[in-house]
Amino acid sequence: GWIRAMRGEGEESLALCRSGLQHAPDPFAEAVGRGYLGYAHLQREEAATAVGLFEDAVNSWKAFDVPQLEGWIGAWLAEALLGTGNVDRARGRADEALRVARAARFPFAIGLALAAQGRIAKAAGRLDEAAARLEEALDVLSAIGARYEAARARLDLAVVAHSRGRRDAAASHLDEARRAFELWTGAHLSDEL
């Protein structure tokens, strides 16, 4: 379901994630299922629904003492909170996700939390901070081969570069993101991306 959500297959991803949660054999698997179902809702821009699922999952990871997943899902929670317009709470959650992910030395969650911080700074109009965090996220995500999330960071960097009047940098980030998404989906995307 999570992979289908990344590919933009909304209805199918929701169905698979709901099924996974329904058939979870234990509380650990339920927390995984809530996180993935939250992500499917986040990808469909249903941030309010995603927030509740992510909060439950993060609380479970704290109780299970699994900081890697607490940081990972916490970064998604920050993005969902941003999607609901709660910028201050999103910033706090992203900061906490980064702190936990760094303490756990989990690069994927570190990259996600940095990207969330960048998106939050971008939404607040703090473009220098947004560019710095997104560049750092891109470096971390690229280093571990997280192509999809790195491409998402590039899209945000393109927006930030454009807003700063750096059209060549924006075009370069868009082109790199397009290529990465084409590799990810195995399809040719239009030049409108």
Side-chain angles (χ1 to χ4, degrees):
W2 172 40
I3 300 297
R4 301 260 185 196
M6 284 191 284
R7 289 179 172 260
E9 299 172 17
E11 286 301 319
E12 191 168 344
S13 70
L14 280 177
L16 288 169
C17 289
R18 283 182 185 130
S19 177
L21 180 56
Q22 179 182 6
H23 293 95
D26 55 51
F28 191 92
E30 287 174 3
V32 171
R34 282 193 303 276
Y36 287 160
L37 181 57
Y39 186 79
H41 282 288
L42 182 61
Q43 291 297 89
R44 291 172 48 94
E45 298 182 2
E46 298 167 351
T49 302
V51 165
L53 290 161
F54 289 147
E55 286 176 333
D56 287 346
V58 166
N59 289 334
S60 293
W61 298 128
K62 282 182 185 178
F64 293 138
D65 192 25
V66 184
Q68 298 86 345
L69 295 178
E70 180 186 343
W72 177 351
I73 305 304
W76 285 348
L77 173 55
E79 294 219 23
L81 288 165
L82 180 62
T84 66
N86 195 333
V87 177
D88 290 336
R89 196 160 163 236
R91 186 177 302 113
R93 176 46 62 190
D95 292 349
E96 177 64 10
L98 182 59
R99 185 194 65 73
V100 169
R102 281 187 170 150
R105 297 183 179 153
F106 185 39
F108 185 64
I110 292 168
L112 292 180
L114 288 165
Q117 286 181 329
R119 292 177 184 118
I120 292 162
K122 179 181 69 154
R126 298 188 321 269
L127 299 181
D128 291 341
E129 180 185 342
R133 287 299 190 198
L134 290 165
E135 286 285 355
E136 193 176 352
L138 178 60
D139 289 345
V140 170
L141 294 165
S142 295
I144 62 170
R147 291 188 305 251
Y148 175 80
E149 292 297 339
R152 287 187 64 222
R154 281 197 182 279
L155 286 178
D156 289 304
L157 279 165
V159 171
V160 170
H162 185 269
S163 296
R164 297 166 88 193
R166 299 177 180 170
R167 296 188 189 282
D168 289 344
S172 176
H173 283 303
L174 281 176
D175 189 49
E176 290 294 324
R178 179 186 52 79
R179 276 187 275 210
F181 285 131
E182 285 175 353
L183 286 172
W184 174 253
T185 63
H188 178 70
L189 301 175
S190 75
D191 291 334
E192 295 176 20
L193 183 70

